[in-house]
Amino acid sequence: MSRYAQLAYTDSVQRFQAEQGSAAANARRLGGDSERDLITANEAAFIESRDGFYLGSVSETGWPYVQFRGGPPGFVHVLDEHRLAFAEVRGNRQYISDGNIRADGRVSLFFMDYARQARLKLFGRASLMDTSDELHERLMSTRTDGRVERLVLIEVEAFNWNCPQHITPRFTADEVRQYVSALHAEIASLREQLKGT
Ligand SMILES: Cc1cc2nc3c(=O)[nH]c(=O)nc-3n(C[C@H](O)[C@H](O)[C@H](O)COP(=O)(O)O)c2cc1C
């Protein structure tokens, strides 16, 4: 996680680590090269299976801003080992994240899989493109849930997988339906058996 640590471990963070006695352990994470992290098949499969993520952006006044971006599973595309992209649909028209991104492209993405207790944190630089871009058709293919207003491209700088501790497993309505349908089938079959007794 060297690139991730190089970005996250600011002077103030490192001072805090020193005060808490974790400076040595964390210093090891700072080592290594400072090349951007490469998205592997593992991250790509995770990202492309998600139906949403949390997007942190930085306002001009330095306030952090977090918004949820949701969509059909696979609406975030992994273009290559450095880039993600998704189409943005019309929302409440406040454009807080987009306004932030236009002034400062630095973003933090947080992908969760509550059911499997996995999460992926990612730093990147976002830029906005209009729908005339050549990526439009590809990104539209998974975006069936609204009026697309623009495209967002994210150059990935670094990522880090978190440990599953403290993630309460949660399931989507679809996942619950699948699970319950197997139980319903079993109950129906048991009822049939009971009828014959
Ligand atoms: C009609 C409508 C009303 C919405 N109202 C809200 C709202 O009050 N608060 C909110 O956080 N999101 C609301 N949303 C969802 C946001 O529009 C959506 O999450 C969008 O991505 C917000 O981006 P932003 O926070 O970067 O401006 C609404 C969406 C629609 C379609």
Side-chain angles (χ1 to χ4, degrees), residues 10 23 34 51 55-56 60 62 67 72 83 95 102 105 107 109 117 124 135 158-160 164 172 175 188 196:
T10 61
S34 53
D51 58 5
L55 173 66
E60 284 172 300
Q67 179 58 280
R83 298 180 307 155
Y95 303 114
R102 197 151 69 178
V107 286
L109 277 65
Q117 294 175 290
L135 275 174
F159 60 79
N160 182 233
T172 65
E175 285 165 337

Side-chain angles (χ1 to χ4, degrees), residues 55 57 65-70 88-100:
L55 173 66
S57 58
Y65 180 72
V66 180
Q67 179 58 280
F68 180 75
R69 286 285 188 272
E88 233 179 19
V89 297
R90 174 169 286 195
N92 59 8
R93 310 199 74 204
Q94 293 184 16
Y95 303 114
I96 303 174
S97 307
D98 293 340
N100 286 346

Side-chain angles (χ1 to χ4, degrees), residues 93-156:
R93 310 199 74 204
Q94 293 184 16
Y95 303 114
I96 303 174
S97 307
D98 293 340
N100 286 346
I101 285 168
R102 197 151 69 178
D104 185 336
R106 289 176 300 170
V107 286
S108 179
L109 277 65
F110 202 88
F111 291 92
M112 293 294 307
D113 183 338
Y114 290 99
R116 284 156 207 85
Q117 294 175 290
R119 62 179 171 227
L120 178 66
K121 301 187 297 186
L122 197 144
F123 281 135
R125 293 176 197 278
S127 54
L128 308 176
M129 298 176 307
D130 64 40
T131 51
S132 64
D133 190 90
E134 59 178 15
L135 275 174
H136 180 237
E137 202 176 328
R138 174 169 174 187
L139 301 184
M140 277 293 291
S141 64
T142 48
R143 197 81 237 215
T144 48
D145 57 332
R147 176 166 152 192
V148 171
E149 287 192 327
R150 75 195 56 75
L151 314 177
V152 183
L153 181 73
I154 293 156
E155 296 273 351
V156 174

